[in-house]
Amino acid sequence: QPLGSTLYIIEGSTACSQTVDVGDTIPSMVQADDVHGTGGLDLVVTTSRGEILTLESDTVSYHPLNVWNAGVTRAPGSSNAQAHGFSSTQGIFVHPMSRVWRDILGVYIPITFEIYDRRPNIANEPNHQVYEVEVRAGMSAKRTIFYRSYNTTGVYTERVQIPFGPGYFSLTVLLRTTHGIVYEDTFHIGFNVDYMGGLWLIVFLPLVLASIPIFMFRRKPNWEEDEDYGGSRNGILGRAPPP
């Protein structure tokens, strides 16, 4: 929690606290994410002079549910900005196999995500076992590219299509419960950015496959079928040539 130029870090289980003075006013909320890609959870701090500081952690492991960044659920006007965290009873997160950075060449993007619900007595409340999953190419609801409602928790793999052309995208996977609480996870991919690399396959591969039978098939000549060779000594007009 920032207060002035001091950042207060409090351990929830032991109530132990630590302070860090960054030397300037912290005007916005501290965010948490794996900024350096080391597998740990880093704190991102901004100052009023426009500086961006990162505090790396060697003990807190990264997990999508521990991330706190500028997402849909924390956008201005959101009523459930506190609905996040690994200790939450519900949530959704994208598996590592799908969130790893890659440039996808093709039409569909496979996304593997997990829906979990650890609420007490949820097994006896089937009317609340409804999980609406939505995938957006960004954060706007106008860029929704996938929507489906599920009745059970577990791991799912869905194929989605981005109709906005080649480019780099931030895909946001959202889970909306029957109580209106929204959970989210965001990952980044490239979609057909290097499509020219596969265009030559589309153009030349059919030509190569079509030419293979032409080179493999060679007709052997049959000289006996040629009337002008060998057996007959008549001329072109059917007459014998003069001696």
Side-chain angles (χ1 to χ4, degrees):
Q1 175 66 37
L3 183 60
S5 62
T6 305
L7 178 65
Y8 291 85
I9 304 174
I10 304 174
E11 171 63 37
S13 59
T14 61
C16 295
S17 62
Q18 182 180 359
T19 60
V20 178
D21 194 341
V22 299
D24 194 10
T25 304
I26 305 175
S28 59
M29 186 172 181
V30 178
Q31 300 185 9
D33 205 336
D34 184 13
V35 179
H36 301 279
T38 57
L41 197 63
D42 308 324
L43 299 181
V44 182
V45 184
T46 58
T47 66
S48 58
R49 290 184 295 185
E51 298 176 336
I52 301 178
L53 309 175
T54 58
L55 305 178
E56 298 185 47
S57 174
D58 297 331
T59 57
V60 181
S61 301
Y62 168 83
H63 193 278
L65 295 177
N66 290 332
V67 172
W68 187 272
N69 49 28
V72 177
T73 60
R74 291 166 294 285
S78 177
S79 59
N80 62 306
Q82 74 283 352
H84 207 65
F86 190 71
S87 60
S88 178
T89 56
Q90 290 178 274
I92 187 172
F93 62 92
V94 180
H95 277 214
M97 67 178 69
S98 295
R99 69 181 312 111
V100 63
W101 166 255
R102 63 198 188 280
D103 182 17
I104 298 178
L105 183 63
V107 179
Y108 296 99
I109 302 173
I111 302 178
T112 302
F113 56 87
E114 182 174 350
I115 304 173
Y116 74 97
D117 191 351
R118 297 194 295 259
R119 290 178 295 177
N121 202 37
I122 186 60
N124 300 324
E125 299 178 358
N127 57 321
H128 291 308
Q129 297 179 16
V130 180
Y131 313 96
E132 298 178 358
V133 176
E134 183 179 336
V135 180
R136 301 178 182 177
M139 295 188 296
S140 175
K142 297 180 180 180
R143 297 174 67 89
T144 300
I145 59 177
F146 175 83
Y147 173 83
R148 181 168 295 178
S149 180
Y150 301 87
N151 295 321
T152 57
T153 59
V155 180
Y156 298 91
T157 300
E158 303 289 354
R159 298 197 309 164
V160 301
Q161 182 181 9
I162 300 180
F164 308 114
Y168 299 101
F169 295 91
S170 297
L171 298 185
T172 303
V173 182
L174 299 98
L175 169 66
R176 189 182 303 273
T177 66
T178 55
H179 299 289
I181 302 178
V182 180
Y183 302 87
E184 69 171 21
D185 190 10
T186 302
F187 65 101
H188 310 276
I189 63 166
F191 180 63
N192 289 327
V193 176
D194 297 327
Y195 66 94
M196 292 297 296
L199 185 60
W200 71 272
L201 288 175
I202 301 177
V203 176
F204 291 103
L205 187 59
L207 298 177
V208 174
L209 295 178
S211 62
I212 291 177
I214 298 177
F215 288 103
M216 294 182 61
F217 178 76
R218 298 182 62 183
R219 184 172 180 269
K220 296 182 179 180
N222 188 358
W223 301 109
E224 296 178 355
E225 296 178 359
D226 192 351
E227 296 180 354
D228 296 333
Y229 179 81
S232 177
R233 297 183 59 85
N234 295 332
I236 299 177
L237 299 178
R239 299 177 183 177

